[in-house]
Amino acid sequence: MATIRLGDLAPDFTADSSKGTINLYEYLGDSWGILFSHPADFTPVCTTELGTAAKFKGEFDKRNVKMLALSVDGKASHLEWIKDINDTQNTEVNFPIIADEDKRVSTLYDMIHPNADDNLTVRSVYIIAPDKSVKLTITYPASTGRNFHELLRVIDSLQLTAYHSVATPANWTHGEDVVVSPSISTPQAQEMFVKGIEEIRPYLRMTPDPTA
Ligand code: BEZ
């Protein structure tokens, strides 16, 4: 499978999961989606990640984002592992984990990087918009657990910039000033942004977060 790039259509698939058979497009419906892979079941970093992801589910729900994890083990293993995750992380895994024993989905999504490991998936993240286009890809090595605060932060940026002619500056979080898109002229921006704009340079115009 070729690399999946930003703007590409997320490949659809049907696969078994800890919650039964799932078709990606049906599961996502009109929602946003986050698909994230884990190297293997019963591994320590993955256990903490899935526990954290479960605790953050309310925040993903608020943003209308459906969560979908994947690990290259089977459903029976996932179900046993989920008991351990719930027990050790004091939570309840409340979203499906794809059972990808034959590595069909991980191959489709280029989640196996042979120069890192032939058999295990890396920690891939795909954020998918309601039109099924891929809006973000991130790849972490197996040895580094993901930061779920950052994943929520980037979803806030993706959702804001999908609907407003703005971009978000470094380290931005919801409610902070944003950048006026370079494609908008300053006179246009003065009309569009009712909260006003500050022209620091002709190419650097700030405006309050239009959704805050
Ligand atoms: C882990 O999830 O802890 C892990 C998995 C594979 C390699 C290294 C760490």
Side-chain angles (χ1 to χ4, degrees):
M1 173 71 203
T3 306
I4 297 172
R5 294 183 171 166
L6 301 189
D8 289 355
L9 207 57
D12 195 16
F13 59 82
T14 299
D16 199 12
S17 84
S18 57
K19 289 188 183 282
T21 302
I22 283 197
N23 171 263
L24 178 70
Y25 281 20
E26 280 173 20
Y27 175 69
L28 296 181
D30 294 328
S31 301
W32 288 69
I34 180 166
L35 171 65
F36 50 106
S37 60
H38 296 275
D41 292 4
F42 297 101
T43 50
V45 175
C46 298
T47 299
T48 64
E49 283 193 317
L50 282 167
T52 302
K55 288 176 189 157
F56 276 52
K57 184 167 181 295
E59 291 298 320
F60 285 97
D61 286 347
K62 269 193 225 165
R63 292 161 175 83
N64 190 29
V65 179
K66 294 249 176 88
M67 304 168 79
L68 188 55
L70 174 149
S71 173
V72 291
D73 289 297
K75 180 176 177 179
S77 167
H78 285 0
L79 293 176
E80 284 307 305
W81 184 33
I82 286 170
K83 288 185 206 162
D84 261 12
I85 298 167
N86 293 345
D87 194 28
T88 61
Q89 309 301 304
N90 297 314
T91 188
E92 195 175 323
V93 174
N94 36 20
F95 51 84
I97 306 176
I98 298 286
D100 196 36
E101 257 178 323
D102 62 5
K103 303 190 175 77
R104 192 169 46 85
V105 179
S106 35
T107 302
L108 185 66
Y109 272 81
D110 197 27
M111 291 165 165
I112 295 179
H113 296 197
N115 289 331
D117 191 302
D118 271 345
N119 294 311
L120 304 180
T121 49
V122 291
R123 299 185 195 280
S124 301
V125 181
Y126 290 92
I127 295 179
I128 302 169
D131 67 0
K132 309 295 180 293
S133 64
V134 173
K135 293 295 183 194
L136 178 99
T137 67
I138 320 181
T139 307
Y140 294 72
S143 51
T144 303
R146 282 160 282 211
N147 183 329
F148 284 79
H149 291 287
E150 168 59 7
L151 297 179
L152 291 174
R153 189 196 76 86
V154 80
I155 287 167
D156 285 342
S157 172
L158 292 170
Q159 294 187 338
L160 176 70
T161 59
Y163 305 116
H164 298 270
S165 298
V166 297
T168 59
N171 291 345
W172 174 87
T173 57
H174 172 71
E176 294 177 356
D177 287 357
V178 297
V179 166
V180 174
S181 292
S183 59
I184 309 289
S185 70
T186 295
Q188 270 178 313
Q190 280 158 340
E191 282 197 6
M192 283 172 78
F193 296 103
V194 292
K195 294 181 180 173
I197 64 162
E198 182 194 1
E199 191 181 72
I200 299 168
R201 288 287 184 278
Y203 63 86
L204 175 59
R205 290 87 39 90
M206 306 299 293
T207 188
D209 181 339
T211 63

